[in-house]
Amino acid sequence: MTLTPEAALVDSLIASIPDFPEHGVTFRDLTPVFADGPALKALAEALTAPFAGRFDYLGGLEARGFLIAGAASLVSGAGVLSVRKAGKLPRAVLSQEYALEYSTAALEVHVDQLPPGSRVLIVDDVLATGGTALAAVNLIERAGWQVAGFAVALELDGLGGRAKLEARGIETFSLLKY
Ligand SMILES: O=P(O)(O)OC[C@H]1O[C@H](OP(=O)(O)OP(=O)(O)O)[C@H](O)[C@@H]1O
Ligand SMILES: Nc1ncnc2[nH]cnc12
């Protein structure tokens, strides 16, 4: 597959670590992308461009999604909705549970963070099973906002994430697919 120069730059910086955090998993580490200023800017531009004019806020998913959302905010001019792991936000929240391999976790937003009907582009580093992304979609819709789309640096093919999002009618863009 031919990559755009931006995708090739990001691709060249992703580290693949076998058997982390557990045997059989290949961990895709984007910290080298975040550490490279031009690559982080190129990533932020590539993830927001397909949705230009169609979102009011970036939805950043704690923790790695925050790094992309901050950069995307500066290149697009849109503010960031903080979608946090449970127990971190100090005011009234909406909470959405999601399944991990052997447990559950929850994402939360401040219930009154954005005006009703706000269009939120969710961004993250990796799409795997889609459990995290779908929890964010549910949360945003329950709060009375609209999901403008889901934009991710790296989609792991074959784990069902894209299918889950598209079944919910969520436009999904990935810069890279492994
Ligand atoms: O598609 P899924 O199977 O849900 O996996 C993708 C999620 O997993 C990682 O986050 P993680 O929960 O490890 O949290 P972190 O960003 O705090 O490291 C990644 O940043 C995505 O948010
Ligand atoms: N293989 C993987 N690498 C990095 N982040 C992930 N999140 C879920 N699966 C992942």
Side-chain angles (χ1 to χ4, degrees):
M1 194 177 89
T2 311
L3 298 178
T4 61
E6 301 74 35
L9 175 61
V10 171
D11 184 54
S12 72
L13 291 166
I14 294 176
S16 295
I17 295 93
D19 299 320
F20 182 89
E22 57 188 57
H23 188 72
V25 174
T26 302
F27 190 84
R28 309 297 182 171
D29 174 27
L30 275 81
T31 57
V33 179
F34 303 145
D36 184 304
L40 181 57
K41 185 168 185 231
L43 174 61
E45 287 169 346
L47 295 188
T48 52
F51 299 92
R54 297 195 284 137
F55 64 96
D56 307 307
Y57 296 90
L58 281 317
L61 307 188
E62 185 174 2
R64 295 178 246 156
F66 282 178
L67 296 161
I68 295 174
S73 171
L74 291 184
V75 301
S76 67
V80 177
L81 170 70
S82 299
V83 183
R84 298 219 59 180
K85 301 258 167 80
K88 304 283 189 183
L89 290 171
R91 296 186 287 104
V93 296
L94 280 178
S95 189
Q96 181 73 46
E97 276 205 353
Y98 60 103
L100 300 171
E101 201 171 356
Y102 301 114
S103 60
T104 62
L107 290 177
E108 296 184 341
V109 292
H110 276 140
V111 65
D112 60 354
Q113 194 77 76
L114 306 179
S118 294
R119 300 168 301 172
V120 181
L121 174 62
I122 306 170
V123 293
D124 207 353
D125 65 335
V126 173
L127 174 64
T129 67
T132 308
L134 208 62
V137 167
N138 287 334
L139 208 45
I140 286 164
E141 292 184 347
R142 283 173 53 210
W145 311 319
Q146 298 173 46
V147 177
F150 179 78
V152 68
L154 173 60
E155 171 182 354
L156 302 181
D157 228 354
L159 294 178
R162 176 179 287 270
K164 270 189 200 124
L165 288 165
E166 289 182 347
R168 277 290 296 274
I170 305 301
E171 183 177 335
T172 300
F173 172 80
S174 59
L175 185 62
L176 294 165
K177 265 185 213 178
Y178 286 8

